[in-house]
């Protein structure tokens, strides 16, 4: 394992850790559920992906061991984490968790109203 | 109002395959690396629970028309039979053997009769976990 590669992998791990830290700051400082889930589902995913990719490269270059489990984990986190964020914020919206008081746009509200009006007209 | 579950259901149809494949991998990896019947069975039942969460109980029963209590009972039977089989070879109960076998595609493979015992454990774990979850889910 050459010096360049070890520095490269170290940089990737540190970037992943930094993104996780930024996620935590976002969770503490952002005002409502939707903003927080925005922080949690995006930057946390990328942070975890960076750490996993670094682990994959490390074991691949150092031991010559290509871990299929890590590849599977990368794909899995990449698919599931945004969906989890989507489901959590949707559940929050439908249980009437209030939006931040400086919110200016709520498309889903008017959309749902239109749908209900259409259903009443059809019946 | 009925909410639209399309994102969850689409992702579930994709992910349940990945989880099921990983659970089978864990089941077979048990002899030399971390894994085995228990964790493989739990992983399989977690894939089934994901399908159960994304769709409803009626759809789930249409996909898997199995009584999971039977699965648990079959697993116990398999585990007991591997133990009893040792008695026919004049060795103590639950003695397991180990051999290298030439398989058609996989080549030389180390096969042990512990794998069959593990299959029993796997079926018991899947059966019990799914029975518990379905029973709780059904009761109003």
């Amino acid at each position: 394992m050459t010096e360049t590669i070890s520095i490269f992998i170290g940089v990737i791990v540190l970037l992943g850790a930094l993104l996780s830290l930024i996620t935590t700051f976002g969770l503490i400082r952002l005002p409502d559920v939707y903003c927080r889930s925005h922080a949690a589902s995006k930057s946390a995913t990328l942070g975890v992906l960076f750490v996993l990719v670094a682990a994959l490269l490390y074991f691949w270059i150092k031991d010559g061991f290509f871990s299929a489990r890590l590849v599977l984990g990368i794909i899995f986190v990449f698919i599931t984490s945004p969906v989890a964020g989507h489901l959590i914020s949707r559940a929050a919206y439908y249980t009437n968790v209030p939006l931040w008081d400086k919110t200016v746009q709520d498309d889903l509200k008017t959309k749902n109203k239109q749908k209900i009006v259409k259903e009443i007209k059809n019946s | 109002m009925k909410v639209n579950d399309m994102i969850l259901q689409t992702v579930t149809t994709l992910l349940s395959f990945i989880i099921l494949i990983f659970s089978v991998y864990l089941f077979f990896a048990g002899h030399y690396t971390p894994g085995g019947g228990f964790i493989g069975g739990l992983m399989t039942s977690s894939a089934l629970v994901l399908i159960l969460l994304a769709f409803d109980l009626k759809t789930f029963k249409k996909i898997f028309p199995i009584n999971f209590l039977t699965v648990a009972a079959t697993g116990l039977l398999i585990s007991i039979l591997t133990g009893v089989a040792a008695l026919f070879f004049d060795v103590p109960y639950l003695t397991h053997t180990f051999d290298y076998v030439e398989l058609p595609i996989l080549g030389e493979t180390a096969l042990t009769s512990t794998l069959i015992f593990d299959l029993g454990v796997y079926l018991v774990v899947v059966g019990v976990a799914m029975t518990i979850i379905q029973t709780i889910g059904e009761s109003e």
Side-chain angles (χ1 to χ4, degrees):
Chain A
M1 201 157 125
T2 60
E3 205 63 27
T4 325
I5 291 169
S6 58
I7 290 173
F8 180 64
I9 290 173
V11 167
I12 300 180
V13 170
L14 280 178
L15 265 178
L18 189 70
L19 276 167
S20 304
L21 188 70
I22 291 171
T23 308
T24 328
F25 280 133
L27 285 179
I28 295 169
R29 292 194 49 92
L30 286 174
D32 70 345
V33 179
Y34 310 103
C35 295
R36 279 188 213 129
S37 89
H38 164 79
S41 54
K42 281 200 190 79
S43 51
T45 312
L46 195 62
V48 172
L49 287 187
F50 269 141
V51 175
L52 284 178
V53 166
L56 180 75
L57 286 177
Y58 179 79
F59 287 113
W60 194 10
I61 292 163
K62 184 168 165 281
D63 300 337
F65 172 67
F66 187 78
S67 172
R69 270 165 293 176
L70 279 173
V71 177
L72 208 60
I74 290 168
I75 296 170
F76 198 82
V77 171
F78 187 62
I79 296 174
T80 50
S81 182
V83 176
H86 158 76
L87 286 173
I88 290 170
S89 36
R90 200 186 64 159
Y93 188 86
Y94 284 122
T95 46
N96 297 322
V97 173
L99 276 70
W100 186 28
D101 46 6
K102 284 182 189 162
T103 310
V104 288
Q105 199 175 2
D106 188 358
D107 283 343
L108 197 54
K109 199 174 180 181
T110 51
K111 185 90 183 165
N112 283 339
K113 261 187 192 158
Q114 281 170 3
K115 207 187 261 176
I116 292 166
V117 169
K118 211 186 266 174
E119 274 170 14
I120 292 168
K121 270 184 188 169
N122 285 341
S123 60
Chain B
M1 196 188 77
K2 198 176 179 304
V3 286
N4 189 357
D5 272 340
M6 201 186 75
I7 294 179
L8 178 62
Q9 288 176 349
T10 315
V11 167
T12 302
T13 47
L14 183 68
L15 284 184
S16 51
F17 283 108
I18 298 181
I19 304 175
L20 282 174
I21 290 167
F22 189 60
S23 75
V24 172
Y25 163 77
L26 276 179
F27 170 68
F28 281 111
H31 204 70
Y32 292 112
T33 46
F38 184 75
I39 192 73
L42 274 185
M43 200 60 120
T44 306
S45 45
S46 77
L48 298 182
V49 168
L50 183 65
I51 297 171
L52 198 56
L53 276 177
F55 302 92
D56 55 349
L57 205 63
K58 214 183 267 175
T59 325
F60 182 79
K61 280 193 173 157
K62 205 184 277 174
I63 305 171
F64 299 100
I66 317 162
N67 183 3
F68 281 96
L69 267 181
T70 336
V71 174
T74 320
L76 270 181
L77 195 69
I78 290 172
S79 290
I80 293 169
L81 284 180
T82 51
V84 170
L87 295 178
F88 290 107
F89 297 98
D90 232 12
V91 280
Y93 180 65
L94 277 177
T95 307
H96 286 287
T97 58
F98 175 88
D99 201 10
Y100 288 99
V101 186
E102 282 290 333
L103 288 181
I105 302 166
L106 299 170
E108 194 185 29
T109 321
L111 285 183
T112 125
S113 62
T114 333
L115 188 73
I116 307 168
F117 184 81
D118 236 16
L119 181 70
V121 176
Y122 175 86
L123 289 178
V124 169
V125 171
V126 171
V128 169
M130 290 316 293
T131 309
I132 291 172
I133 287 160
Q134 276 189 336
T135 325
I136 296 171
E138 269 171 353
S139 64
E140 291 292 315

